Amino acid sequence: MSESTSLPAKYLELIDQIVQITLKGQIRSKEQVYQMLVKDISPGTGEIFERCLVERISATQYEVDNQLQSATASRRLRALKTIEGEWERWQKENRVSGAIATAIQQITTAEPDNRLTALLRVIDPNQTQILTLEQLQQLAKALKQQAEESSNPDLKRQIQQLATGLTHGIESWQRLEGDLISWIYDQGQSKLGFGGDPAQGSPWGLWAKKVNSPLPQALFHSLALNQSVVELAANQAGMELAAWVELAVILQFLQRGLVAWFDKLVYDSKVGAKLSISTFLTFAVIWSQLANGFNHSNISRHYADGSFQVTLQILRTFAQRQYFPLYGGIFASFAGNYLRDTLNYLDEPLRRVEGTQEKARILTLLGSSLRAQGKYEQAISFYQQALEIARNAGDKTCEIANFNHLSRTCVAQKNYAEAINYSQRALIMARQAGDKLGEANALANLGYSEVFQAQQVEQVEPEFYETAINYLEQGLKLSERLGDSQSQALCLSSLGIAKVVLAEPQAAIAYLQQSIKACINSGDLYLDALNRAYLGEVYYKVKDLDKTVYFACLGMYLLEQIAATEWRQSAGLLTIVQGQIGVEAFNKILGKVRSEVIAIIGVDGYDHLPQLLEQYQRSIQ
């Protein structure tokens, strides 16, 4: 008989044997049944065994149901159910061992230059079955065994390095695990984040003390002191593969652990989402910085390629989250690396991936950041790429978001007719798709665009603005019903700016102040800073110079820190005020509002204000 025909007979015999010795009272535990299955079922033949087991259970169940040999049949059925339970355990255990075996085969049969890539695919968190810590330990042991058995010296050395890196990475993570979130309890929640200032409650300094290995220790130390990660990576000549793999394991478990914890902040899900967003972006940028540094060093280019691969894995995981920020480019807890760096570092890894739904969403996020920097043509290019990918992927929500962003960008370019066109398309699609968030943003953009278009053609009569204001108010009501802080902030800000255009200062002040509160909740740094800049202009119009200086200084500083070009608008206003009242009087007002300014941007921020003003004034001379 061939093997395929003998196996069913063999497995039926095994099942009958277990049933018989069970009936004789010779089975003392379920473990005994499990060990018999382990011993006698050959790998890759589980489907045949399962068919045999189902056949025996069905036949015995029929006997029980029809009261044929009822007493014996019932006992046999209980024995078969015990086998079924241990068979399920066998399947679970063998799925893991099978997955490990497959992973080992993928890694060891890969070309030498591709083995690191193969390992990263195996531990990719975007897989259906993500490897647990225990499974990762099993993988490390299996790789070590492969290395010991290999007669190929190059393969032996490379596989040993991978195994060592995994083992050391797991050990380092276990040292850090107890302090994953301890730093969060050491300061007020408002200071949470990943900034470079050790005083701002970032975890890097603490983690640097907890690890023993040189590379992760150096990385955490650099992050704690806001030193260049690119420079650190560029100076890693002589670094072994094991050190890189160890770092990859540590950072992946840190990121996954933090996101899991932030996602569970049930008492304040908005804060949790904001911190999860911050975590994804921060770790993506760290890996992109490492990639850039490795690219400029004399060590293997595979470290740079691997770092870009990890960056993409993080971004893809992030893009699948419900809270992925389709309508916000910058978030409060994402400090330390300013916006310009984020774009520089994330641009390269995105070039390495083909059109996918995740890529469309990431391009949307980066487009918003480019728009804030005043790079409108680049932003439009990103949005249009994202629009095409989203359309092909059937991602209506992302498609609507990009129409909305294109509308906002056209407003910034003073192309109001095109802005109205994009916002109308977004509004129609959002209503058809039932996308309430997209609808709220489309209403805000449509009203905002029409206010500016009316101003451009010098239609200042109130009736020309009624429709536009109505759109904005509809958007605000909808965003309030949705409880979406970011959309509320956008609608309130748009209403405030519209009221500035309509020369209604008190209404403008009220809306802009409310928008600032909403921005704090949503973490939108750009809109927050823009609101403060416009408040400076409103207070200038009502001749309140103290508040003009206060808000214009905040707008100028905050916008410049995130590389938004509108900082020059506030700097221009402050220069006008300084010219009107004289330097001495201006400095007196600045001194008067010092404590309030410091409360928002700190002493360093306050001390930087004169330098920004001087920089602006030199640029216009």
Side-chain angles (χ1 to χ4, degrees):
M1 275 193 303
S2 68
E3 185 178 353
S4 61
T5 55
S6 65
L7 272 176
K10 173 187 171 184
Y11 287 152
L12 284 169
E13 184 180 344
L14 172 63
I15 292 165
D16 292 341
Q17 179 190 359
I18 296 172
V19 169
Q20 287 303 313
I21 62 177
T22 301
L23 295 179
K24 291 177 181 178
Q26 294 174 355
I27 294 290
R28 297 179 180 177
S29 68
K30 291 180 179 180
E31 181 64 26
Q32 194 175 343
V33 174
Y34 177 73
Q35 290 303 328
M36 291 179 74
L37 298 181
V38 169
K39 177 175 175 290
D40 291 318
I41 299 177
S42 304
T45 64
E47 189 178 340
I48 298 171
F49 177 83
E50 186 162 359
R51 284 201 304 269
C52 294
L53 181 59
V54 168
E55 179 185 325
R56 283 291 190 258
I57 290 174
S58 297
T60 308
Q61 184 70 57
Y62 177 82
E63 290 180 22
V64 171
D65 292 344
N66 291 276
Q67 298 183 344
L68 303 173
Q69 302 178 346
S70 57
T72 306
S74 295
R75 291 176 63 204
R76 278 193 284 114
L77 185 60
R78 284 197 297 272
L80 288 166
K81 290 293 184 183
T82 298
I83 297 173
E84 185 179 41
E86 295 312 297
W87 164 241
E88 289 174 0
R89 177 186 167 193
W90 187 95
Q91 285 181 301
K92 182 180 178 182
E93 294 292 335
N94 278 270
R95 269 197 299 269
V96 173
S97 60
I100 298 297
T102 301
I104 294 294
Q105 184 180 22
Q106 289 172 350
I107 294 166
T108 55
T109 58
E111 293 296 319
D113 288 351
N114 295 327
R115 286 199 183 109
L116 179 58
T117 298
L119 174 68
L120 290 176
R121 278 199 299 268
V122 167
I123 65 174
D124 185 353
N126 294 292
Q127 294 185 109
T128 307
Q129 295 293 329
I130 303 173
L131 292 183
T132 64
L133 188 67
E134 183 183 356
Q135 290 163 357
L136 208 59
Q137 288 171 324
Q138 291 178 37
L139 176 62
K141 288 178 184 176
L143 281 170
K144 184 180 178 183
Q145 185 177 347
Q146 282 286 318
E148 290 170 352
E149 295 173 356
S150 175
S151 58
N152 181 327
D154 292 333
L155 175 64
K156 186 183 189 77
R157 183 174 58 254
Q158 198 173 36
I159 298 300
Q160 181 63 55
Q161 284 281 308
L162 294 178
T164 301
L166 289 173
T167 302
H168 289 174
I170 292 165
E171 290 170 353
S172 294
W173 159 243
Q174 289 172 330
R175 279 193 291 273
L176 287 169
E177 190 173 9
D179 290 292
L180 175 67
I181 58 171
S182 63
W183 57 281
I184 293 172
Y185 296 101
D186 294 336
Q187 69 276 316
Q189 186 177 309
S190 62
K191 293 182 180 179
L192 288 183
F194 298 94
D197 183 355
Q200 291 301 309
S202 71
W204 311 118
L206 172 65
W207 293 343
K209 296 173 185 174
K210 296 290 180 178
V211 291
N212 298 329
S213 303
L215 181 58
Q217 194 172 63
L219 174 65
F220 294 150
H221 184 71
S222 295
L223 290 166
L225 298 179
N226 205 19
Q227 295 173 346
S228 172
V229 173
V230 177
E231 188 176 328
L232 169 73
N235 292 327
Q236 293 301 312
M239 182 183 72
E240 292 193 327
L241 178 59
W244 191 99
V245 173
E246 178 185 2
L247 184 65
V249 172
I250 294 169
L251 291 182
Q252 185 184 107
F253 275 100
L254 283 172
Q255 176 215 312
R256 282 166 55 182
L258 285 168
V259 169
W261 195 82
F262 291 143
D263 283 352
K264 290 176 183 175
L265 289 183
V266 180
Y267 67 88
D268 194 339
S269 58
K270 290 179 181 176
V271 169
K274 188 165 67 174
L275 290 169
S276 292
I277 290 166
S278 169
T279 304
F280 277 119
L281 286 173
T282 299
F283 279 80
V285 168
I286 287 169
W287 276 109
S288 293
Q289 290 175 316
L290 287 168
N292 275 270
F294 291 139
N295 252 343
H296 294 96
S297 69
N298 294 322
I299 60 176
S300 171
R301 66 175 177 82
H302 305 306
Y303 297 138
D305 291 341
S307 300
F308 280 128
Q309 190 176 346
V310 175
T311 305
L312 282 174
Q313 290 176 354
I314 294 169
L315 291 174
R316 282 174 162 162
T317 305
F318 180 34
Q320 295 166 35
R321 295 302 172 107
Q322 187 177 2
Y323 47 67
F324 184 82
L326 282 171
Y327 288 100
I330 314 152
F331 289 82
S333 297
F334 187 37
N337 300 295
Y338 293 132
L339 176 58
R340 57 178 73 88
D341 297 322
T342 308
L343 291 169
N344 292 339
Y345 291 126
L346 297 187
D347 181 52
E348 173 61 25
L350 275 180
R351 293 180 190 174
R352 298 176 176 231
V353 64
E354 297 300 321
T356 62
Q357 180 177 344
E358 291 86 356
K359 181 173 182 177
R361 289 178 169 242
I362 298 159
L363 285 169
T364 306
L365 176 69
L366 297 186
S368 301
S369 302
L370 281 164
R371 188 179 75 231
Q373 286 190 12
K375 298 176 181 178
Y376 302 130
E377 292 302 327
Q378 281 181 269
I380 287 171
S381 173
F382 271 44
Y383 290 141
Q384 287 175 338
Q385 287 181 64
L387 193 63
E388 183 179 352
I389 295 169
R391 188 179 289 132
N392 291 334
D395 188 346
K396 288 287 183 188
T397 306
C398 185
E399 191 178 350
I400 292 162
N402 280 283
F403 276 128
N404 274 320
H405 287 308
L406 282 164
S407 172
R408 206 75 178 181
T409 310
C410 287
V411 169
Q413 292 181 309
K414 298 181 171 54
N415 186 354
Y416 304 122
E418 195 67 11
I420 290 168
N421 175 46
Y422 280 127
S423 58
Q424 286 175 333
R425 293 173 73 180
L427 183 59
I428 292 167
M429 283 187 66
R431 285 175 169 167
Q432 288 174 341
D435 178 5
K436 296 298 182 184
L437 184 59
E439 182 181 349
N441 278 268
L443 287 165
N445 289 330
L446 183 55
Y448 189 75
S449 306
E450 291 196 347
V451 166
F452 278 92
Q453 186 183 53
Q455 184 197 31
Q456 188 180 51
V457 296
E458 299 181 350
Q459 294 176 332
V460 294
E461 291 81 2
E463 58 265 25
F464 287 104
Y465 293 95
E466 285 179 6
T467 303
I469 295 296
N470 181 50
Y471 285 133
L472 290 169
E473 289 173 343
Q474 283 183 56
L476 178 59
K477 287 177 184 175
L478 181 54
S479 61
E480 286 172 344
R481 284 205 305 274
L482 295 170
D484 183 74
S485 298
Q486 207 282 329
S487 295
Q488 286 178 50
L490 177 63
C491 292
L492 287 164
S493 180
S494 300
L495 277 162
I497 295 168
K499 294 298 182 181
V500 172
V501 172
L502 294 170
E504 297 178 26
Q506 294 309 316
I509 289 168
Y511 281 126
L512 291 169
Q513 291 280 20
Q514 289 178 67
S515 183
I516 288 172
K517 291 178 182 177
C519 286
I520 291 169
N521 289 331
S522 69
D524 194 324
L525 295 182
Y526 171 65
L527 203 53
D528 183 2
L530 197 62
N531 287 330
R532 295 176 195 273
Y534 271 103
L535 277 169
E537 294 189 16
V538 179
Y539 280 114
Y540 178 71
K541 290 180 179 180
V542 298
K543 300 183 174 14
D544 186 334
L545 293 186
D546 286 9
K547 288 185 177 176
T548 298
V549 171
Y550 169 70
F551 281 109
C553 281
L554 289 177
M556 175 179 71
Y557 177 81
L558 293 171
L559 287 164
E560 194 276 337
Q561 288 296 289
I562 57 173
T565 55
E566 289 96 338
W567 78 270
R568 295 178 60 81
Q569 187 175 324
S570 292
L573 175 61
L574 290 168
T575 299
I576 290 169
V577 172
Q578 192 180 65
Q580 288 174 341
I581 65 175
V583 174
E584 187 177 342
F586 179 85
N587 288 338
K588 187 175 179 180
I589 293 175
L590 193 56
K592 193 190 298 186
V593 299
R594 181 179 185 274
S595 60
E596 296 172 78
V597 171
I598 286 174
I600 303 296
I601 62 175
V603 175
D604 289 344
Y606 178 83
D607 291 342
H608 189 53
L609 295 173
Q611 297 170 38
L612 283 179
L613 263 181
E614 185 181 340
Q615 178 184 334
Y616 170 77
Q617 289 163 2
R618 281 201 310 269
S619 72
I620 60 173
Q621 287 174 354

